[in-house]
Amino acid sequence: MVSAANPHATKAGLDILRAGGSAVDAAIAVQMVLTLVEPQASGIGGGGFLLHFKPSAKYTSSLLSAYDGREIAPSGATETLFLREDGEPLSWNERKIGGKSVGVPGIIRMLALAHQDHGRLPWKKLFDPAIRLAQAGFPVSPRLNKMIRRDKFLANFPTAANFYFLPGGTPLPVGHLLKNLELANTLSRLANEGPEAFYIGDIPRAIARKVRETHHLPSQMKESDIKDYTAKRRSILCLPYRTWNICGMPPPTSGGITTLQILKLLERFDLAQVAPGSAKAIHLISEASRLAFADRNQYLGDPDFVQIPVQGLLNEKYLRQRASEISPFQAMGKAKPGSPVSEKRLPSLSSDRGGQRPDSTSHISIVDQYGEAISMTTSIGTAFGSRIMVKGFMLNDQLADFSPLPRDKSGTPKANRPGSKKRPRSSMAPTFVLDKDGKLVMAVGSPGGSSIIGYVVKTLVAALDWNLPMQAAIDLPNFINKNGRTELEKDTPITTFSETLEYLGHKIYIRTKTSGLHGIRIGKGQLEGGADKRREGIVLGD
Ligand code: GLU
């Protein structure tokens, strides 16, 4: 079964599974098609995180692997990357577009690493569906059309403007047959010459030249920065939650640790007895979320550069004590970060939240016939990334996830400050749920910037505590508290809880919350999939 954000991509994944491919093989095919059909969200010019599950008779941690394909800053980047000459930070809208925001793309080397470990079909074959579709063309979807129409920056970047607008400047209309021969050519090169063609030769030369020569905030990226990129195997993080084990991606994303913390903080409450999506549920989950986000903002960054108290933050005793701060009857207001056991407090990451980025990024969940599974969140940053297009694909703007101000008022460096070859902190949260025997129960994840964490927690609680089917768990209205206002999804029944929640002390913010949750749940010998109706995804399986 494949659940992904676009029907062409889901179908390509299923075809690979039917041809005997593994979940990783299918993920590669899905990613290549998404590069073509959902170019605003993810692609070979971006990065991502992938979790892999392999069944085994015995429960061992070797069942699970985690791959880090997060973008890195060019070697020439310093902590002043996003400061103007007067020392003020560039605004979100300035820094998220153009050359400086572009990190060295990591997705191809990450997928190559996962394929080396878990692939069954030849690498070359996995590119066929995307190459064929890029040559034949596909009809522009309503969402892609909307993204082009709404984007204020795309038209200023000539290569992208020529591609996404008709002569005369009309955004490509819905149904327009869009071919991408340049991408077909790039993908053929990656298929035939192998993943290294992305990192050595004329492709990286073209990327480096393009970001250095762009009119808006030229980058210092060198060809050798691209060649030097390394994808990493990281140790997956798992924590028991009631009768399950929840497993997530470790830093440089904050997604895993924060999701695990929220669930653990909620264990004190018998959520099964609380009505799904009720005011009481929203209150309790929001309170746990405030505490976890306070820790997130304090402690998380790139583990290769800053010491992160991972074990301390996930320590049961520490989280029990933190959970005692939650009152069922009153909102706590702004939560302070805790002091995880035997760890010294790191410099503040500040509350830099960046701008809203609800329109980009994609999540893929796949379970194959061998019982293996992947949960992968993939992104080029904001919609259309840096807006710089090269060789038929969009380049990410992921470096905008760094704290633009490198130091706090006292001059103390922030853990998420920019730096040479550093990975910016992410919120992506690909997740697995296992039962106590180590069998896979669920694969899920979502786009949505830092709201990803709220979307994933809601879906896990809905599926596990409230036993809702996968689709119903995804459909349930979204809500989140990032240690500030309690955000409720616009035009949903939960907005009627505003007064009740305000009475408990919440400040309410009603707004669009466009998750893109894609999940697969494994019942007794049956797969049950869900795809988020807020985007264009579908599930297909045999
Ligand atoms: N830049 C975002 C992050 O890494 C991408 C995820 C998203 O916006 O959905 O958290």
Side-chain angles (χ1 to χ4, degrees):
M1 180 175 278
V2 180
S3 180
N6 178 284
H8 294 288
T10 300
K11 186 163 176 320
L14 188 69
D15 287 346
I16 292 293
L17 293 183
R18 284 180 177 160
S22 66
V24 163
D25 293 333
I28 295 169
V30 170
Q31 177 67 83
M32 297 313 138
V33 174
L34 288 176
T35 307
L36 174 73
V37 299
E38 206 196 21
Q40 74 276 16
S42 78
I44 60 175
F49 299 104
L50 182 148
L51 302 184
H52 184 267
F53 171 86
K54 195 181 175 75
S56 137
K58 232 176 55 233
Y59 182 24
T60 63
S61 56
S62 62
L63 299 175
L64 297 158
S65 13
Y67 297 89
D68 172 352
R70 184 68 163 167
E71 296 87 339
I72 57 165
S75 54
T78 65
E79 65 172 37
T80 60
L81 183 68
F82 291 121
L83 295 184
R84 296 196 310 233
E85 272 175 17
D86 63 3
E88 289 299 310
L90 291 163
S91 73
W92 169 248
N93 275 342
E94 279 173 305
R95 70 180 191 268
K96 74 176 180 183
I97 56 170
K100 281 194 181 193
S101 65
V102 181
V104 176
I107 209 81
I108 288 286
R109 273 208 178 131
M110 182 193 82
L111 290 173
L113 195 61
H115 184 254
Q116 187 186 314
D117 292 352
H118 306 290
R120 286 175 187 260
L121 297 182
W123 169 263
K124 182 175 180 332
K125 188 175 166 57
L126 311 174
F127 289 71
D128 286 350
I131 295 168
R132 272 200 310 269
L133 194 59
Q135 286 166 344
F138 68 97
V140 167
S141 72
R143 187 167 171 81
L144 175 53
N145 165 265
K146 182 168 132 190
M147 292 294 118
I148 303 170
R149 271 191 287 121
R150 278 198 352 199
D151 201 275
K152 293 202 264 319
F153 310 104
L154 205 54
N156 300 332
F157 287 82
T159 315
N162 285 335
F163 186 76
Y164 291 108
F165 296 85
L166 295 174
T170 310
L172 294 180
V174 176
H176 173 91
L177 188 76
L178 184 61
K179 296 182 187 177
N180 189 340
L181 300 181
E182 215 180 350
L183 181 64
N185 185 41
T186 303
L187 295 179
S188 302
R189 299 268 319 273
L190 299 181
N192 294 320
E193 296 167 35
E196 287 308 293
F198 192 90
Y199 295 92
I200 298 166
D202 64 293
I203 295 177
R205 201 167 308 133
I207 295 174
R209 191 182 321 121
K210 191 94 182 189
V211 296
R212 289 174 78 96
E213 290 177 3
T214 184
H215 65 282
H216 184 74
L217 301 178
S219 166
Q220 304 182 0
M221 191 183 289
K222 298 194 291 252
E223 215 182 310
S224 58
D225 292 330
I226 304 176
K227 176 168 153 273
D228 289 350
Y229 181 86
T230 40
K232 299 205 167 184
R233 292 186 188 87
R234 303 240 183 229
S235 303
I236 199 164
L237 298 173
C238 296
L239 210 61
Y241 173 65
R242 305 191 204 276
T243 61
W244 300 278
N245 267 304
I246 315 290
C247 299
M249 187 75 209
T253 184
S254 61
I257 289 186
T258 313
T259 302
L260 295 181
Q261 274 203 336
I262 296 172
L263 291 171
K264 205 70 195 166
L265 292 166
L266 286 167
E267 240 181 358
R268 210 190 107 198
F269 303 97
D270 188 2
L271 287 180
Q273 299 306 317
V274 178
S278 59
K280 185 164 183 193
I282 294 172
H283 168 69
L284 292 175
I285 296 171
S286 295
E287 294 300 283
S289 183
R290 283 182 209 270
L291 290 165
F293 266 85
D295 276 358
R296 168 192 185 270
N297 292 344
Q298 177 78 24
Y299 294 108
L300 302 186
D302 183 348
D304 297 340
F305 286 74
V306 284
Q307 192 203 338
I308 301 174
V310 176
Q311 295 315 321
L313 289 167
L314 297 179
N315 179 282
E316 298 238 1
K317 199 166 140 222
Y318 169 68
L319 290 170
R320 254 203 314 279
Q321 168 251 318
R322 290 282 277 168
S324 67
E325 294 178 36
I326 300 174
S327 156
F329 310 109
Q330 183 153 29
M332 69 179 73
K334 192 131 188 113
K336 292 205 175 60
S339 303
V341 255
S342 70
E343 302 280 358
K344 83 176 196 303
R345 184 175 290 198
L346 292 164
S348 173
L349 284 176
S350 90
S351 55
D352 296 326
R353 285 173 36 230
Q356 292 308 323
R357 34 173 107 85
D359 300 320
S360 183
T361 309
S362 219
H363 184 81
I364 309 162
S365 294
I366 302 176
V367 177
D368 68 20
Q369 60 193 302
Y370 315 103
E372 296 183 19
I374 64 100
S375 180
M376 167 174 162
T377 312
T378 171
S379 176
I380 56 164
T382 69
F384 300 104
S386 60
R387 277 68 168 179
I388 299 175
M389 192 175 192
V390 63
K391 298 261 177 205
F393 60 90
M394 304 305 299
L395 289 170
N396 70 85
D397 63 358
Q398 219 74 255
L399 301 190
D401 278 350
F402 280 124
S403 303
L405 271 174
R407 289 163 189 270
D408 66 17
K409 285 194 190 94
S410 67
T412 315
K414 293 178 185 175
N416 191 33
R417 68 189 180 282
S420 167
K421 301 207 170 192
K422 196 174 176 191
R423 289 162 149 87
R425 183 186 63 191
S426 167
S427 298
M428 291 187 260
T431 305
F432 280 144
V433 179
L434 272 56
D435 68 12
K436 54 183 181 323
D437 302 321
K439 292 209 177 63
L440 186 69
V441 173
M442 203 189 305
V444 74
S446 179
S450 51
S451 295
I452 288 173
I453 294 160
Y455 301 153
V456 169
V457 166
K458 170 212 76 173
T459 309
L460 291 173
V461 169
L464 302 177
D465 288 303
W466 300 327
N467 207 20
L468 294 184
M470 192 75 254
Q471 188 63 51
I474 288 172
D475 292 346
L476 204 69
N478 287 322
F479 56 90
I480 185 167
N481 190 306
K482 305 176 197 169
N483 202 16
R485 292 179 289 187
T486 299
E487 300 176 20
L488 306 178
E489 187 177 3
K490 203 170 147 189
D491 301 327
T492 66
I494 61 169
T495 54
T496 59
F497 301 144
S498 298
E499 262 181 49
T500 313
L501 289 164
E502 273 165 359
Y503 180 75
L504 292 177
H506 293 257
K507 291 198 170 61
I508 299 297
Y509 182 20
I510 295 173
R511 53 179 314 199
T512 313
K513 303 286 324 165
T514 314
S515 51
L517 288 148
H518 294 111
I520 300 176
R521 189 176 183 165
I522 303 161
K524 289 194 177 64
Q526 276 227 326
L527 300 180
E528 186 208 322
D532 207 320
K533 294 173 189 151
R534 298 167 185 89
R535 300 202 184 200
E536 293 177 330
I538 59 162
V539 191
L540 291 173
D542 289 325

